[in-house]
Amino acid sequence: MNHQVADDEMVLISQYYPGIYTQLVPQQGESKPRRRRKKNKEGSGSRAMLMRKRKLSDEQVNLLEQSFGNEHKLESERKDKLASELGLDPRQVAVWFQNRRARWKSKKLEEEYSKLKSEHDTNVVEKCRLETEVLKLKEQLSEAEKEIQRLLLERCDGVSSNTSPSASSFSMEPPFLGEFGMEGLDNVFYAPDNNYVQGLDWVNLYI
Amino acid sequence: MNHQVADDEMVLISQYYPGIYTQLVPQQGESKPRRRRKKNKEGSGSRAMLMRKRKLSDEQVNLLEQSFGNEHKLESERKDKLASELGLDPRQVAVWFQNRRARWKSKKLEEEYSKLKSEHDTNVVEKCRLETEVLKLKEQLSEAEKEIQRLLLERCDGVSSNTSPSASSFSMEPPFLGEFGMEGLDNVFYAPDNNYVQGLDWVNLYI
DNA sequence: AAATTTGTCGTAATGACTTCA
DNA sequence: ATGAAGTCATTACGACAAATT
């Protein structure tokens, strides 16, 4: 019904459709005088004045892409050079670079994610393996302890004379385990603490 | 409007004006199997519109957001209802939802990434801890082995008469290690075999 | 009833604008 | 004035169901 809207809430269609718009809005357009029309190297110059192409040509995109490959940032100098090489408004070049950076970022994030994920998964497996290995070793160690006790007892039973100086009475007390052995054998049975649970809640993403 | 241009080269100003639209769309509910087909080509009929509101009002965004919170998908029914409630072109509602979904997805990805990252980091630490623990245990085990050897030799040296039946000559042969010890001590250093790659199927979220 | 057309929806990619720093 | 982030819209494409032949 009412087509009257505050000016700051409307977008000028001149960007899209300069031809008809300029008639309805008497040359208020170009409120930003800095943006001036570049020469269009298209054959039909008149048409180029009237409208903006929606899509950049492959040629243009290729060059932009190549330039982006060299350097994601865009200095004014390069911008203007590109713009004139491509026959584009420098403004368009700037916008293209901004959008390209954003796209690059999210793509980057995506691949970083999957990379991290696979790394994470192998780590989980590895961790699990290590846990069982620790259990196994503790079991073996416990057995070895038992065996030592048995031998010690047997020796004490059989022969009362004992010249061996090294073996301590009960707990093993490893001789040069200073680096790693900050905990004694009483720590043999520790909690596995498998605190890696979240795995499949990814599936719920799209409820 | 005599501007004859190839349609694919320019932007159509179609379906921009919300006001006139909502009347054109007949209220048609119906979504029992999936979605009913509509005979109404929304928008294309009036492609001569000149301008659109640049931004949706807070009111409109709030309702859209709320609706999105309930359900990310948008059925025709809901779309039309929303559109007429908000005085928007159903097309706009659809577009809004599409973009919202995209936004939501990338935001979700971002937070999933950081979640995964912290989890990964703690796992790395944990893995490291387990590795040192394994080393420590192996060291202790080696010491125990040495001790056993010492005791055995001592026993053989000291007393030729030996009534103990269980202890074998060299390798420990643990008595009841059937559960865990399917591999002997020589197997302590075994290959990690991380055959685990799949990581990017999270991309398939939506198929 | 089966094949084809047509509409609509969803998604991805893209362009441009606005706002904020 | 520029970059980054957020917003809106358009195009292209694929999938799928309804309408048509």
Side-chain angles (χ1 to χ4, degrees):
Chain A
M1 31 178 100
N2 68 335
H3 297 179
Q4 302 294 53
V5 193
D7 272 359
D8 58 330
E9 274 192 343
M10 325 273 292
V11 71
L12 302 183
I13 302 301
S14 59
Q15 288 298 95
Y16 300 107
Y17 231 157
I20 57 176
Y21 189 76
T22 45
Q23 288 159 351
L24 295 170
V25 177
Q27 286 309 91
Q28 182 275 341
E30 307 314 83
S31 62
K32 305 180 179 184
R34 64 183 78 83
R35 186 189 61 189
R36 72 188 135 124
R37 280 251 48 113
K38 276 284 181 184
K39 55 113 181 176
N40 244 341
K41 64 182 179 183
E42 253 72 11
S44 58
S46 62
R47 200 184 78 177
M49 291 306 274
L50 292 179
M51 70 194 53
R52 207 168 296 259
K53 280 168 61 178
R54 159 136 181 88
K55 267 186 83 64
L56 308 177
S57 71
D58 291 354
E59 180 61 11
Q60 291 169 322
V61 170
N62 285 344
L63 214 153
L64 286 168
E65 206 68 57
Q66 180 182 335
S67 182
F68 181 80
N70 290 354
E71 172 62 58
H72 293 191
K73 298 283 184 196
L74 180 68
E75 319 81 26
S76 294
E77 188 203 348
R78 223 156 56 99
K79 179 174 70 176
D80 292 339
K81 192 159 76 71
L82 272 173
S84 70
E85 282 181 40
L86 296 169
L88 291 177
D89 190 340
R91 164 79 178 174
Q92 277 179 292
V93 177
V95 166
W96 189 90
F97 263 76
Q98 287 170 197
N99 287 320
R100 188 67 182 80
R101 275 191 295 264
R103 263 173 265 144
W104 182 83
K105 187 178 165 190
S106 70
K107 170 159 295 191
K108 189 76 176 175
L109 177 62
E110 217 167 301
E111 61 193 40
E112 285 301 319
Y113 182 85
S114 58
K115 193 186 304 179
L116 182 60
K117 172 122 185 75
S118 68
E119 197 180 337
H120 174 73
D121 287 348
T122 71
N123 258 13
V124 166
V125 172
E126 179 79 357
K127 187 162 153 281
C128 192
R129 187 186 71 76
L130 285 169
E131 273 161 0
T132 71
E133 174 148 10
V134 163
L135 280 182
K136 187 195 68 179
L137 287 171
K138 282 176 177 170
E139 194 65 37
Q140 291 182 352
L141 196 53
S142 160
E143 287 306 315
E145 272 298 308
K146 220 176 289 180
E147 178 73 1
I148 289 174
Q149 289 306 315
R150 199 183 56 74
L151 289 175
L152 286 176
L153 284 181
E154 175 186 321
R155 183 182 58 180
C156 289
D157 281 354
V159 198
S160 55
S161 69
N162 184 359
T163 56
S164 166
S166 75
S168 77
S169 66
F170 183 70
S171 143
M172 219 168 86
E173 309 277 13
F176 52 91
L177 250 49
E179 275 76 8
F180 299 96
M182 42 299 225
E183 32 198 12
L185 281 179
D186 52 313
N187 253 1
V188 160
F189 296 103
Y190 71 97
D193 73 287
N194 305 327
N195 44 7
Y196 62 96
V197 184
Q198 76 83 33
L200 322 182
D201 38 5
W202 256 108
V203 188
N204 306 337
L205 273 176
Y206 235 86
I207 45 166
Chain B
M1 297 21 175
N2 53 355
H3 41 286
Q4 292 294 37
V5 195
D7 274 0
D8 58 328
E9 271 196 344
M10 43 193 316
V11 174
L12 302 179
I13 313 297
S14 58
Q15 70 265 55
Y16 270 142
Y17 226 64
I20 58 177
Y21 260 44
T22 45
Q23 287 103 356
L24 297 179
V25 180
Q27 301 301 62
Q28 180 156 357
E30 280 315 307
S31 71
K32 41 177 177 317
R34 283 228 181 163
R35 60 174 181 274
R36 278 268 165 262
R37 179 131 165 224
K38 292 221 172 80
K39 208 55 166 192
N40 201 310
K41 185 143 174 58
E42 30 186 317
S44 292
S46 62
R47 63 174 39 181
M49 294 329 292
L50 304 178
M51 49 188 69
R52 69 176 208 261
K53 280 177 65 175
R54 173 65 197 144
K55 278 177 82 68
L56 307 177
S57 70
D58 291 354
E59 180 59 13
Q60 291 169 321
V61 169
N62 285 342
L63 214 152
L64 285 168
E65 206 68 59
Q66 180 181 336
S67 182
F68 180 80
N70 290 353
E71 171 62 58
H72 294 190
K73 298 278 188 196
L74 180 67
E75 317 81 26
S76 294
E77 191 196 350
R78 220 156 56 98
K79 178 175 72 176
D80 293 340
K81 192 159 77 69
L82 273 173
S84 69
E85 282 180 40
L86 295 169
L88 291 176
D89 187 345
R91 171 68 179 254
Q92 278 178 292
V93 176
V95 166
W96 190 91
F97 263 76
Q98 289 167 200
N99 289 317
R100 188 66 183 80
R101 258 177 260 130
R103 252 175 287 152
W104 181 83
K105 188 176 161 190
S106 68
K107 169 158 295 190
K108 192 72 179 174
L109 176 61
E110 213 164 314
E111 61 193 40
E112 284 300 320
Y113 181 83
S114 58
K115 192 186 304 179
L116 182 61
K117 173 122 187 76
S118 67
E119 196 180 338
H120 175 73
D121 288 348
T122 71
N123 255 14
V124 165
V125 171
E126 179 77 358
K127 187 162 152 277
C128 194
R129 188 185 69 76
L130 285 169
E131 270 160 2
T132 70
E133 174 147 11
V134 162
L135 281 182
K136 185 195 69 179
L137 288 171
K138 281 176 180 170
E139 198 64 43
Q140 291 183 350
L141 198 52
S142 161
E143 287 305 316
E145 273 298 308
K146 222 178 288 179
E147 178 72 0
I148 288 174
Q149 290 306 313
R150 200 185 55 72
L151 289 176
L152 286 176
L153 285 180
E154 174 187 320
R155 183 182 59 179
C156 289
D157 281 355
V159 198
S160 54
S161 69
N162 185 359
T163 56
S164 166
S166 74
S168 75
S169 66
F170 183 69
S171 148
M172 217 168 86
E173 307 278 14
F176 51 89
L177 247 52
E179 275 75 10
F180 296 94
M182 37 306 222
E183 30 198 13
L185 281 179
D186 52 314
N187 252 1
V188 161
F189 298 92
Y190 67 94
D193 74 288
N194 306 328
N195 44 5
Y196 197 94
V197 184
Q198 71 88 24
L200 9 160
D201 41 6
W202 87 269
V203 185
N204 307 338
L205 277 177
Y206 222 87
I207 31 179

